[in-house]
Amino acid sequence: MGRVFIAGSINMDVVATADRHPKVGETVAGREVLYFPGGKGANQAVAAARLGVKTTLIGRLGKDAFGAELRTFLGAQGIDLGSVREADTHSGTAIITVAESDNTIVVIPGSNALVSADDVADAPLTKGDVAVSQFEIPLPTIAAFFQRARSAGATTVLNPAPAQKMSAELLALVDILVLNETELGFLAGVELSDTDEAAKIIGVARKLQARADQTICVTLGKRGVLALAGREEFAVPGRAVKAVDTTGAGDCFVGALASQLADGIALRAALTFANAAASISVQRMGAGPSMPTAADVAAVISAG
């Protein structure tokens, strides 16, 4: 069984719940304020660790109260934090409004902006491991991480969110790209929506492919997942559930997918598992705390 190494962000999510989202310039009354460990890197690490795979997180925390609280939470999940260093700034923070089962998010990078190539240089990656990253740390750091991973024979998984343009060189280092239709459209320079036909979405993914053997997985929420694996294309159907908080659902999917790939599971089965895991997370509040266990996912899959 391989291990999962995640280079990414660690945030404290400050969540305000309300009956509806305010319009620009408007103030609305909220219901409550909640504090949840988050950040795409940390969320994905929690998801993988809770599913039983050995998980190492590489990142930075500030020397503040949030930093201490985040380190305690992540350590309690069984995540290896030996590569999480301190930075002389505040920890990453996300301000989230949850209303009508959806969310808006403002992320302040803080210490995450200081994760450097030096932080990933000594990651003990070997063949069979999975290296995961996202776009909440500097892109040159991700490139250095993936170069190291590929030279070691590890599989690289990139979740390019929040979406921003990346170099062709970075894209070519990615074995498996996991993104939603909006992010795919942004990277490909094409307008896409969640109502577009599967053939159109796959066509755009094919144009984005940097290598003939690259896999692109497009998550479509309740519609499931579309995958382009080299030349092969297939779909994993979605699951109908009542969502209460979609924060972290994509991260749950990525972490669960990485856990399965590290365990040697084939792509289609790994995507089915990840889809089930994400369907559980949206039925719970918070990002990191909403991640399911392997038993949770097994129960959902067996139930059909």
Side-chain angles (χ1 to χ4, degrees):
M1 184 174 181
R3 300 163 296 172
V4 172
F5 290 81
I6 298 177
S9 56
I10 311 169
N11 293 333
M12 181 61 78
D13 290 350
V14 182
V15 181
T17 64
D19 289 333
R20 64 178 179 84
H21 292 284
K23 298 174 183 176
V24 175
E26 181 188 21
T27 299
V28 300
R31 289 180 173 274
E32 58 183 340
V33 63
L34 306 164
Y35 299 87
F36 294 114
K40 296 189 74 62
N43 292 343
Q44 292 169 11
V46 171
R50 284 196 178 171
L51 292 167
V53 67
K54 291 184 178 179
T55 304
T56 295
L57 180 59
I58 303 167
R60 296 266 184 152
L61 284 170
K63 296 179 179 179
D64 54 9
F66 280 170
E69 191 172 340
L70 287 163
R71 187 177 289 275
T72 298
F73 169 77
L74 293 168
Q77 310 308 308
I79 299 168
D80 175 6
L81 301 178
S83 296
V84 175
R85 303 175 183 178
E86 283 193 333
D88 290 319
T89 184
H90 66 84
S91 298
T93 307
I95 309 299
I96 302 171
T97 302
V98 176
E100 300 167 323
S101 298
D102 216 334
N103 62 64
T104 60
I105 306 175
V106 177
V107 177
I108 304 96
S111 53
N112 297 313
L114 301 179
V115 182
S116 70
D118 287 342
D119 292 311
V120 301
D122 56 357
L125 289 149
T126 60
K127 185 174 178 61
D129 290 339
V130 179
V132 182
S133 198
Q134 339 70 31
F135 277 180
E136 288 184 341
I137 60 174
L139 269 58
T141 302
I142 300 171
F145 180 49
F146 282 179
Q147 285 168 348
R148 179 171 178 78
R150 286 182 60 82
S151 66
T155 298
T156 58
V157 177
L158 178 64
N159 175 216
Q164 58 178 294
K165 293 296 184 182
M166 66 172 139
S167 67
E169 290 77 15
L170 175 54
L171 182 57
L173 292 170
V174 178
D175 293 319
I176 302 175
L177 189 69
V178 182
L179 70 179
N180 62 30
E181 76 285 347
T182 304
E183 293 152 357
L184 172 64
F186 176 84
L187 291 176
V190 177
E191 192 73 28
L192 286 176
S193 75
D194 60 4
T195 59
D196 282 322
E197 294 291 330
K200 179 179 179 180
I201 294 171
I202 286 291
V204 174
R206 198 176 296 283
K207 291 178 181 177
L208 187 64
Q209 259 185 331
R211 308 194 319 261
D213 63 342
Q214 189 174 62
T215 294
I216 299 179
C217 303
V218 187
T219 58
L220 300 171
K222 61 185 178 183
R223 288 178 62 193
V225 186
L226 292 175
L228 175 64
R231 297 292 93 189
E232 181 190 5
E233 56 188 72
F234 60 87
V236 174
R239 289 179 171 270
V241 298
K242 183 173 175 55
V244 296
D245 183 7
T246 58
T247 308
D251 297 330
C252 179
F253 182 93
V254 173
L257 175 62
S259 77
Q260 297 300 287
L261 296 172
D263 205 18
I265 303 300
L267 180 65
R268 190 189 295 261
L271 290 173
T272 299
F273 183 95
N275 203 43
S279 76
I280 296 170
S281 75
V282 300
Q283 298 176 71
R284 302 170 176 176
M285 285 296 297
S290 73
M291 303 304 174
T293 64
D296 292 333
V297 181
V300 165
I301 291 176
S302 65

